Amino acid sequence: MSTPFPFTAVVGQDDLRLALLLNAVSPAVGGVLVRGEKGTAKSTAVRALSALLPEVDVVSGCRFSCDPDSPDPACPDGPHEPGAFASRPARMVELPVGASEDRLVGALDIERALAEGVKAFEPGLLADAHRGILYVDEVNLLHDHLVDLLLDAAAMGASYVEREGVSVRHAARFLLVGTMNPEEGELRPQLLDRFGLTVEVAASREPDQRVEVVRRRLAYDDDPAGFAARWADEEAAVRARIVAARELLPSVRLGDGALRQIAATCAAFEVDGMRADIVMARTATALAAWAGRTEVLAEDVRQAALLALPHRRRRNPFDAPGLDEDKLDETLEEFGGSDGQDGNGDGDDDPDPGPGGGPGGQPEPDDAPQGDGDTAARPEAGEGGEPQPSGGAGEQSPARAAEPFRTKVLSVPGLGEGAAGRRSRARTEHGRTIGARRPRGALTKLHLAATVQAAAPHQRARGRSGPGLVVRRDDLRQASREGREGNLVLFVVDASGSMAARQRMSAVKGAVLSLLLDAYQRRDKVGLVTFRGSAADVALPPTSSVDAAAVRLESLPTGGRTPLAAGLLKAHEVLRVERLRDPARRALVVVVTDGRATGGPEPVALAGRAARLFAAEGTASVVVDCESGPVRLGLAGQLAGELGGTAVTLDELRADSIASLVKDVQGSRRAA
């Protein structure tokens, strides 16, 4: 077993360390979501925490880590006789992004359950993590239904597995820690709310601190055991402090004054629901216990607000998490006096920072900064490096996007098999049952009627003599289900001079922003191609980060000629590469243009030939017609015909009169 990097040796990231330790003191706080750029010690700090947790006593032989002092009466391995127990270190269990539902919650042997009536249950990761840490790296990339199962178990303290009327329940109380890079996509607000605390982390810009990060990382890589030994005393001190805080926690008093401050703070920041109030109360109590006090002070409430509220204030995916600290201080002073307001709750209450300023900050070997990575903060392709418009046309400053609106549903025709989402029809593991088939690999969703029908003709030949049905593996049938998938929505946006009227471009950006919001809600990947001047640029390669697309869109300049063919060819190349990376994910191309094509020889004919490439491959497409004025040339409609897709005006994009914007592309092409 490898030696983990010591928790107390991590440089910087005091908020991250404090949030983790508060959950170690009081798991009822509800876990931690760590948001930050790559290479900021998110994973290092989480993995190091497990070494600080006290050992746990478990019933000997119990696969579900029951506490010998109060064993779970519903434990599948029970009932447990008093007596034998063993002590072991608290576990840290990692949930891979690609894990299946059975791997997470456990699996029932359906064959034995049907044939023998035996509940043969194989525990999953939730059982392994009971009374320890469950760590989900890149939690924003985890399938939604797995996140729902995970958070439900964390909230209830138990996991339920049900298959065709056979159910198993076991205790599942754990410290939930998720890490994510917002550049790769956001969690839904409903899921954000289920994490107790959230911490934003970033690499230090101080040269001295960065030097210390590198120095410690190199020393650890050269001699992990020796490096850990040098920090053994600091680790032991923090471990003892966790134990003392746990023992003190039941004695901590949360007075009416502190409760009033908590309620007033949540109301002042217009936080939905009551979960924030409860989490703040538990966090403030844990802060007092960590500081060795039995009374919750205003400084505890303030620190609890900074950890528990920022992620609960997001109203849409483009809102940046954060908290107005001046407003927070005013609220606390108004509703509870000013005691503790001159500090930020991180004085003596913080863990011993150790040399270098505390934990967090060093890059990990597998999480190092990538020099060519695509981030939302990087200037878009058109800034500074984009070709200048030809013909002497000047570039206009970016127009602000109009207010977003609710759009009609754009969907890809047919039945796909892509990643779970909410846009187009697909064969999925979850959804309505549409048939049965022989299982490929392990059986996950039993089709009971089809299984019985397959087994029934063979009962006499198999020597059935009792009431039970003799079922063999060849009889089992997997339920085929239809649900929804997420797609790749590739925006191809005309940023030429013909689109440059500020009011018009503002409306165009508002429409694209509205479609981006829709893509966020439907769990799509998005990409952005722009064309203007003499060339096209990939402003944003396909990504799950809708925020990044919105940033690039907001700063999109306009001006110059209209190289429509270049934009379509660039989009075609993006789709070709993406099919190699993710062949199961189907694409929807949304071309936002007035249909004009200028620049170069025969620009209209060249654009038509480029459009027919999409039609030949059956790529679903929509043309958002941005032409305005009393006289319309209908060029966008002609482009849609070449693409084999549908044209819709900006006004029609939100009109209730359209039942569906994307029809069956193949069917409409055959009819034409």
Side-chain angles (χ1 to χ4, degrees):
M1 182 177 179
S2 61
T3 303
F5 194 94
F7 187 85
T8 52
V10 186
V11 180
Q13 312 298 13
D14 291 346
D15 285 344
L16 169 58
R17 180 176 64 175
L18 179 61
L20 291 171
L21 289 172
L22 291 177
N23 274 271
V25 171
S26 176
V29 166
V32 186
L33 176 64
V34 186
R35 298 163 45 93
E37 59 196 27
K38 49 190 173 289
T40 49
K42 300 187 298 293
S43 299
T44 294
V46 175
R47 293 188 176 105
L49 177 66
S50 61
L52 295 180
L53 297 181
E55 289 192 341
V56 294
D57 293 335
V58 298
V59 174
S60 297
C62 178
R63 297 175 298 167
F64 301 88
S65 302
C66 279
D67 186 344
D69 294 331
S70 56
D72 182 7
C75 177
D77 284 355
H80 298 299
E81 298 293 333
F85 70 91
S87 296
R88 62 163 177 77
R91 292 175 181 155
M92 194 198 74
V93 177
E94 295 195 41
L95 173 62
V97 169
S100 66
E101 180 179 336
D102 284 346
R103 184 72 185 98
L104 176 63
V105 300
L108 281 168
D109 190 331
I110 299 297
E111 185 176 2
R112 292 188 64 191
L114 289 175
E116 305 172 26
V118 175
K119 292 184 181 180
F121 180 68
E122 184 65 30
L125 295 176
L126 291 181
D128 292 341
H130 180 46
R131 304 176 68 200
I133 301 174
L134 182 61
Y135 173 47
V136 189
D137 194 13
E138 305 294 353
V139 65
N140 52 324
L141 303 183
L142 197 65
H143 285 177
D144 283 355
H145 73 281
L146 292 182
V147 177
D148 290 335
L149 290 170
L150 180 64
L151 295 177
D152 283 344
M156 295 186 298
S159 174
Y160 294 84
V161 184
E162 299 197 13
R163 296 285 189 277
E164 306 298 336
V166 181
S167 63
V168 172
R169 174 211 169 275
H170 65 82
R173 293 184 296 276
F174 47 82
L175 166 55
L176 175 63
V177 182
T179 58
M180 60 175 282
N181 185 345
E183 298 167 9
E184 297 170 341
E186 281 286 358
L187 278 172
R188 302 197 315 267
Q190 299 93 322
L191 301 182
L192 279 173
D193 184 55
R194 299 294 294 272
F195 281 93
L197 310 179
T198 294
V199 177
E200 296 279 338
V201 297
S204 172
R205 299 298 184 258
E206 292 294 329
D208 290 344
Q209 195 170 82
R210 295 175 75 96
V211 166
E212 186 63 22
V213 168
V214 175
R215 181 180 291 118
R216 294 188 189 183
R217 185 77 232 186
L218 293 177
Y220 170 77
D221 291 341
D222 289 341
D223 182 11
F227 184 81
R230 291 196 292 275
W231 290 88
D233 291 343
E234 288 83 353
E235 295 280 286
V238 174
R239 188 180 299 111
R241 190 172 175 184
I242 291 174
V243 173
R246 284 184 174 185
E247 294 174 350
L248 183 62
L249 187 65
S251 303
V252 175
R253 177 180 175 273
L254 183 65
D256 291 343
L259 276 173
R260 184 172 177 80
Q261 285 183 316
I262 290 170
T265 301
C266 293
F269 286 100
E270 300 179 352
V271 177
D272 294 335
M274 295 298 299
R275 183 175 284 119
D277 303 64
I278 296 170
V279 170
M280 273 190 66
R282 290 171 173 167
T283 305
T285 304
L287 279 162
W290 179 250
R293 289 185 269 100
T294 57
E295 186 80 18
V296 173
L297 304 180
E299 63 193 54
D300 300 323
V301 176
R302 186 183 193 278
Q303 184 65 58
L306 293 174
L307 294 172
L309 296 188
H311 62 297
R312 293 185 164 89
R313 299 192 63 246
R314 288 173 61 93
R315 290 295 181 266
N316 66 61
F318 308 139
D319 291 340
L323 213 62
D324 185 340
E325 295 194 32
D326 291 337
K327 181 178 179 180
L328 173 60
D329 290 337
E330 291 173 4
T331 303
L332 292 174
E333 184 173 358
E334 178 181 356
F335 288 91
S338 58
D339 58 319
Q341 300 306 312
D342 56 342
N344 57 9
D346 63 357
D348 293 336
D349 296 354
D350 273 353
D352 183 10
Q362 76 278 3
E364 303 161 42
D366 59 348
D367 195 23
Q370 303 294 321
D372 57 351
D374 183 62
T375 69
R378 189 187 67 184
E380 67 171 302
E383 295 179 8
E386 187 169 343
Q388 291 299 313
S390 58
E395 178 181 293
Q396 297 193 13
S397 59
R400 293 187 61 84
E403 282 297 315
F405 53 85
R406 186 175 182 83
T407 67
K408 284 295 182 181
V409 178
L410 308 177
S411 60
V412 178
L415 197 63
E417 295 183 344
R422 298 182 176 182
R423 183 171 296 279
S424 305
R425 296 172 56 220
R427 297 182 183 91
T428 62
E429 288 294 319
H430 300 270
R432 64 186 183 91
T433 301
I434 59 173
R437 58 175 173 80
R438 291 181 181 274
R440 304 186 192 105
L443 178 72
T444 55
K445 299 291 182 182
L446 177 73
H447 194 296
L448 183 58
T451 299
V452 172
Q453 187 176 10
H458 308 292
Q459 297 305 296
R460 181 174 296 178
R462 293 173 182 173
R464 173 184 170 183
S465 58
L469 189 68
V470 181
V471 179
R472 294 180 179 173
R473 181 157 294 278
D474 288 343
D475 302 326
L476 299 178
R477 295 294 182 268
Q478 176 85 19
S480 297
R481 303 195 176 193
E482 180 180 310
R484 293 280 169 176
E485 68 176 359
N487 298 114
L488 166 60
V489 182
L490 181 61
F491 294 93
V492 185
V493 180
D494 184 350
S496 65
S498 64
M499 304 281 288
R502 296 193 67 81
Q503 187 173 1
R504 184 179 180 189
M505 197 60 196
S506 177
V508 168
K509 286 187 175 182
V512 178
L513 191 64
S514 303
L515 291 168
L516 284 171
L517 278 166
D518 183 69
Y520 166 79
Q521 293 164 354
R522 300 186 187 281
R523 314 303 290 166
D524 295 315
K525 292 180 72 173
V526 297
L528 179 62
V529 173
T530 65
F531 58 94
R532 57 186 288 271
S534 60
D537 291 286
V538 181
L540 183 72
T543 175
S544 297
S545 177
V546 177
D547 301 54
V551 170
R552 307 298 169 82
L553 177 70
E554 188 67 30
S555 57
L556 178 65
T558 56
R561 294 176 178 173
T562 311
L564 177 57
L568 294 175
L569 290 173
K570 181 68 73 173
H572 186 268
E573 175 64 16
V574 170
L575 292 184
R576 185 190 67 81
V577 174
E578 192 63 18
R579 287 191 192 102
L580 297 176
R581 294 174 176 168
D582 192 357
R585 188 181 291 269
R586 299 186 295 163
L588 173 66
V589 177
V590 180
V591 184
V592 185
T593 181
D594 57 10
R596 289 181 172 84
T598 61
E602 299 183 340
V604 177
L606 186 59
R609 289 197 294 271
R612 287 192 287 275
L613 292 174
F614 293 87
E617 296 175 351
T619 303
S621 60
V622 174
V623 177
V624 180
D625 185 359
C626 302
E627 192 174 24
S628 59
V631 179
R632 293 176 178 268
L633 302 178
L635 298 176
Q638 295 176 25
L639 176 62
E642 299 280 6
L643 286 165
T646 304
V648 58
T649 66
L650 287 173
D651 291 335
E652 290 172 334
L653 193 59
R654 53 176 156 187
D656 295 334
S657 59
I658 307 175
S660 176
L661 294 177
V662 181
K663 306 295 184 183
D664 189 328
V665 174
Q666 290 87 355
S668 62
R669 188 182 304 111
R670 286 195 297 269

